[in-house]
Amino acid sequence: MTTPSTGRVRMSPESRREQLLDLGTRLLATRTLDEVSIELLAEEAGISRGLLYHYFGNKQEFHAAVVRRAVEDIYAITAPRGIEDPLEQLAVSLGAYVDYVKENYTGYVSLIRAAAGGNEELRAIYQQARRALTDRIFEIAGAEQLAELGVVDSAATRLLVDGWAALVENVVVAWVEDPAGLSRDELLQRLALVLPAIVTR
Amino acid sequence: MTTPSTGRVRMSPESRREQLLDLGTRLLATRTLDEVSIELLAEEAGISRGLLYHYFGNKQEFHAAVVRRAVEDIYAITAPRGIEDPLEQLAVSLGAYVDYVKENYTGYVSLIRAAAGGNEELRAIYQQARRALTDRIFEIAGAEQLAELGVVDSAATRLLVDGWAALVENVVVAWVEDPAGLSRDELLQRLALVLPAIVTR
DNA sequence: AGCCGCTGTTGAACAGACGTCAATAGCGTT
DNA sequence: AACGCTATTGACGTCTGTTCAACAGCGGCT
């Protein structure tokens, strides 16, 4: 018998890192980000605290890595299929987003709260993700079609689009908790129509 | 000589509480809410840590008290003057809000981040404050005038108005940092027009 | 004036979590 | 079967939140 030995398990750095990030995002679904302590994570993963500091320099970096991972998931999952009409495309993109929020509600809410309340790095990560999501919408719509609608890409437009993203986020999260008599389609229609309303002069 | 004695100072509970809350909000302007530690506050106030636990049960309650105080300030300061035209009134109310954010930028940003990222109590306090601010706008406009514009008070309307509040908050904060070529009046116009756009069917 | 009691206030002690680092032990190589 | 690389540990130091019994300012009472 080759000594079943103590619990020490040696893994490749890649899979270990992966495991820890996975566990981190899973734990995030149940609690606040700063309740995802090094202590808890180490215990849950069956490793020593020290090992976490080997992979992620400190708590903040670990949290940043978890958020980055979660954000990438959202971006990938909500990737839109190609559709002709811009406004319909917008509604479809929003639909994918709404569905994602519905599926991963607790985790998603935890994420946005962590990002909003966190340090500069966390906020930057989230802000960038929001940008990527809205940029994708604009890319698909196409500059010419947007120009037809009276929308031009400018700093002011960016400002307002970011605001629209905040509105969408807020409304969707609240809607999932309490639809307030609105069907999914009605919700999507409303949200989609607001974008031109705010951005067109 | 009656012994100049040690630094121990005895105050009435009211003034002591007041002092600590004032100090707390002042410290919040320079740092994150959870950087406003019991340690720092005690040192800054020239008292022992223990005394804070006498006035506020624990860190979270203290933070909640600080946020509550800050939020009341905002509500009071942005109180609108009576104006006839609803849309103009709205713009004026927004103007007061924008000015407040400009004046107290770091403190305000600290506040909303704390509220967004904090525990349930903090979020509830902030959510309620937002409600109060938007409710005030609606009260002033008057139910009849709103009905003329096609706006009825319903759960769905509430949902969307809350979203609009999030948009406003987001846009105003970003605008203060970088106006993106928009004048104060242009900003107010845009924001005011978005409300009927989102809320009217 | 001097004692007394109420209570605002302190400081020591404990707990829990972050971060460091030299020592330890898997596992592939020879 | 010994060796070396490196993933992993565990003990230690520190910082901050929290508790609690003891202390002291201050007004009232004799």
Side-chain angles (χ1 to χ4, degrees):
Chain A
M1 210 181 287
T2 61
T3 59
S5 77
T6 57
R8 183 180 283 212
V9 179
R10 191 191 176 98
M11 296 175 63
S12 76
E14 303 79 44
S15 32
R16 180 64 87 185
R17 214 186 133 86
E18 204 65 12
Q19 175 209 2
L20 296 177
L21 281 179
D22 276 357
L23 181 55
T25 53
R26 229 174 314 131
L27 290 180
L28 182 59
T30 328
R31 62 213 90 213
T32 304
L33 183 61
D34 61 36
E35 284 170 355
V36 181
S37 61
I38 302 289
E39 190 103 10
L40 173 66
L41 201 108
E43 189 178 343
E44 210 69 24
I47 60 171
S48 68
R49 275 163 309 190
L51 192 57
L52 253 116
Y53 289 91
H54 178 69
Y55 283 99
F56 310 91
N58 55 41
K59 200 192 182 185
Q60 297 197 343
E61 277 187 40
F62 175 65
H63 283 170
V66 168
V67 168
R68 217 174 276 122
R69 153 69 67 97
V71 143
E72 284 165 5
D73 284 355
I74 294 178
Y75 189 79
I77 291 178
T78 59
R81 333 229 154 277
I83 294 182
E84 286 306 314
D85 178 59
L87 248 157
E88 188 185 345
Q89 169 62 60
L90 177 55
V92 171
S93 292
L94 283 173
Y97 168 73
V98 169
D99 293 340
Y100 177 86
V101 175
K102 261 168 88 172
E103 289 304 314
N104 309 71
Y105 185 69
T106 52
Y108 180 73
V109 168
S110 236
L111 173 68
I112 59 178
R113 280 176 194 163
N119 60 27
E120 200 142 346
E121 186 174 7
L122 287 189
R123 278 182 278 117
I125 293 171
Y126 191 68
Q127 175 72 17
Q128 186 194 339
R130 249 194 196 167
R131 268 292 163 80
L133 288 170
T134 50
D135 279 357
R136 192 166 60 184
I137 290 174
F138 278 76
E139 273 174 31
I140 293 168
E144 324 80 38
Q145 306 215 43
L146 290 174
E148 283 177 28
L149 295 173
V151 178
V152 285
D153 196 352
S154 67
T157 302
R158 286 290 163 128
L159 187 71
L160 295 169
V161 170
D162 283 350
W164 175 75
L167 179 150
V168 169
E169 189 174 291
N170 201 282
V171 170
V172 168
V173 167
W175 179 82
V176 170
E177 282 230 336
D178 173 13
L182 258 60
S183 74
R184 180 176 174 285
D185 279 349
E186 286 170 335
L187 177 71
L188 297 183
Q189 280 302 318
R190 289 281 185 125
L191 294 177
L193 284 174
V194 171
L195 183 56
I198 182 178
V199 132
T200 310
R201 188 195 313 274
Chain B
M1 212 180 288
T2 61
T3 59
S5 80
T6 57
R8 183 179 282 212
V9 179
R10 190 190 176 99
M11 295 175 61
S12 77
E14 303 80 43
S15 33
R16 179 66 86 189
R17 215 185 132 87
E18 203 65 12
Q19 175 208 4
L20 296 177
L21 281 179
D22 276 356
L23 181 56
T25 52
R26 227 174 314 134
L27 290 180
L28 182 59
T30 328
R31 63 213 86 216
T32 305
L33 183 62
D34 61 37
E35 282 169 358
V36 181
S37 62
I38 301 289
E39 189 105 10
L40 174 65
L41 201 106
E43 190 178 341
E44 210 68 26
I47 60 169
S48 69
R49 275 166 300 182
L51 191 56
L52 253 115
Y53 288 90
H54 177 69
Y55 283 99
F56 310 91
N58 56 39
K59 201 192 184 186
Q60 298 197 342
E61 277 187 39
F62 175 65
H63 282 170
V66 169
V67 168
R68 217 174 277 121
R69 153 70 67 97
V71 142
E72 285 166 5
D73 284 355
I74 294 178
Y75 188 78
I77 291 180
T78 60
R81 335 224 155 280
I83 294 185
E84 286 306 314
D85 179 59
L87 249 157
E88 188 184 345
Q89 170 61 59
L90 177 54
V92 171
S93 292
L94 284 173
Y97 169 71
V98 168
D99 294 338
Y100 178 86
V101 175
K102 261 168 88 174
E103 290 302 315
N104 309 71
Y105 185 69
T106 52
Y108 180 72
V109 168
S110 235
L111 173 69
I112 59 179
R113 281 177 193 160
N119 60 28
E120 199 141 348
E121 186 174 7
L122 287 189
R123 277 182 279 115
I125 292 171
Y126 191 68
Q127 175 72 16
Q128 186 193 340
R130 251 195 195 167
R131 267 294 162 82
L133 288 171
T134 51
D135 278 357
R136 193 166 59 183
I137 291 174
F138 277 76
E139 274 175 28
I140 293 169
E144 325 80 40
Q145 305 215 44
L146 290 173
E148 284 178 26
L149 295 172
V151 178
V152 286
D153 196 354
S154 69
T157 302
R158 285 291 164 127
L159 187 70
L160 295 169
V161 170
D162 282 350
W164 174 76
L167 179 149
V168 169
E169 188 174 292
N170 200 283
V171 170
V172 169
V173 167
W175 179 83
V176 170
E177 282 229 337
D178 173 13
L182 257 61
S183 74
R184 179 175 175 283
D185 279 350
E186 285 171 338
L187 177 71
L188 297 183
Q189 279 302 318
R190 289 282 185 122
L191 294 177
L193 284 172
V194 171
L195 183 55
I198 182 178
V199 131
T200 310
R201 188 196 313 274

